[in-house]
Amino acid sequence: MDHHVGRPRAERARQLADVLRQQITDGAFADGVLPDERLLGRRFGASRNAVRDALALLCQEGLITRRRGVGTTVALSKYGHGLDRLTGLGEELTGRGTVTNEVRAAEEVPVLPAAIAARLDVPAEAGGVYVERLRWLDGLPLSLDTSYLTADIGRAVLVGDLADRDVFGLIEEAAGARLGRAEVAVHAVNADPGTAELLGIGAGAAVFALERLTRLADGRPVDVESIRIRADRMTLRSTLHRGGPV
């Protein structure tokens, strides 16, 4: 019997979809196969119609697929990336998947775009280095990463192994110092046709747009990144701590 039976069917389905989505992203279905509708209904105290509607919503999101004779399966394994740690993708996924990098651009830029120069706190005429990489995880496209680096750090990064290493490690070697912190903003955008083609998704599909400004330990900004991440392949996670009164 449905909980909140007085609520509209569409609302009950959405609530159940929210619960199932959390379970899927937490890896509750280790083999990638969801129980049948009847069992899900018993587990969540929901009618079969509500379960069917909830599963339809998750299908529309691309999170699951449903096929007669096969059942309901998770479309793709999602990987977690912690937003509360300053780590590169390769570092984050060590032991959990194989990351490869397709270097699409790696070049010096004589004049930085004004907005980028302002974020790096250098004159536009100081120039810098532009790096664009298409990042693959276990043979499927995961993200399109673009970086503008300050000229001194960037030139050293250019001669590094951009195909097999995280940029963060190359920056630390170039600077002879550790990275300190980064400011991150994440929003959802509809992929433009070019980005969608590179990532292997439909034009207009939702992707995470992650903008990050990374600084050395002394506070100096060295790297402005714009990252487009396939939302069907990655879950962005963070542990937040509630502070005391200000």
Side-chain angles (χ1 to χ4, degrees):
M1 184 175 185
D2 275 340
H3 297 311
H4 315 298
V5 71
R7 293 186 174 179
R9 177 171 158 178
E11 188 173 320
R12 298 198 307 273
R14 176 175 52 76
Q15 290 171 335
L16 180 55
D18 287 345
V19 174
L20 284 169
R21 189 187 303 105
Q22 288 186 25
Q23 291 213 313
I24 290 167
T25 55
D26 283 342
F29 308 108
D31 57 358
V33 179
L34 274 66
D36 63 31
E37 292 174 0
R38 191 173 286 105
L39 183 56
L40 285 173
R42 285 203 302 270
R43 182 178 296 180
F44 296 107
S47 71
R48 194 163 181 182
N49 281 339
V51 170
R52 188 175 292 124
D53 290 351
L55 294 175
L57 290 173
L58 297 177
C59 274
Q60 291 170 17
E61 292 179 16
L63 194 59
I64 61 173
T65 57
R66 309 198 73 197
R67 288 190 302 178
R68 189 177 300 278
V70 177
T72 304
T73 55
V74 178
L76 277 174
S77 295
K78 281 204 172 193
Y79 295 81
H81 195 305
L83 290 180
D84 47 1
R85 297 181 305 278
L86 186 49
T87 56
L89 186 66
E91 293 173 298
E92 184 77 15
L93 296 176
T94 298
R96 293 193 289 146
T98 302
V99 176
T100 53
N101 305 302
E102 177 187 331
V103 182
R104 296 179 45 79
E107 59 200 20
E108 291 198 44
V109 178
V111 179
L112 288 169
I116 299 295
R119 298 204 75 195
L120 289 174
D121 197 22
V122 296
E125 295 72 23
V129 164
Y130 176 76
V131 175
E132 178 179 297
R133 301 193 298 178
L134 180 62
R135 314 201 70 182
W136 298 68
L137 177 61
D138 293 339
L140 285 175
L142 175 67
S143 67
L144 181 64
D145 300 10
T146 63
S147 283
Y148 282 96
L149 301 120
T150 53
D152 57 337
I153 299 294
R155 290 188 189 111
V157 167
L158 280 181
V159 299
D161 187 357
L162 285 166
D164 293 309
R165 294 194 52 197
D166 280 333
V167 167
F168 282 172
L170 297 173
I171 290 173
E172 288 181 328
E173 287 181 9
R178 297 283 287 175
L179 292 171
R181 69 182 193 274
E183 291 117 52
V184 179
V186 181
H187 50 109
V189 300
N190 297 323
D192 63 87
T195 298
E197 184 176 358
L198 288 172
L199 291 177
I201 55 178
V207 294
F208 291 124
L210 189 149
E211 316 296 339
R212 181 165 59 195
L213 173 65
T214 304
R215 302 172 182 269
L216 295 175
D218 63 5
R220 177 189 167 202
V222 290
D223 182 19
V224 172
E225 292 174 276
S226 179
I227 307 172
R228 299 293 180 267
I229 306 170
R230 276 181 57 162
D232 61 339
R233 302 214 63 206
M234 183 67 76
T235 301
L236 303 175
R237 298 184 180 275
S238 182
T239 300
L240 304 179
H241 299 275
R242 185 172 173 83
V246 177

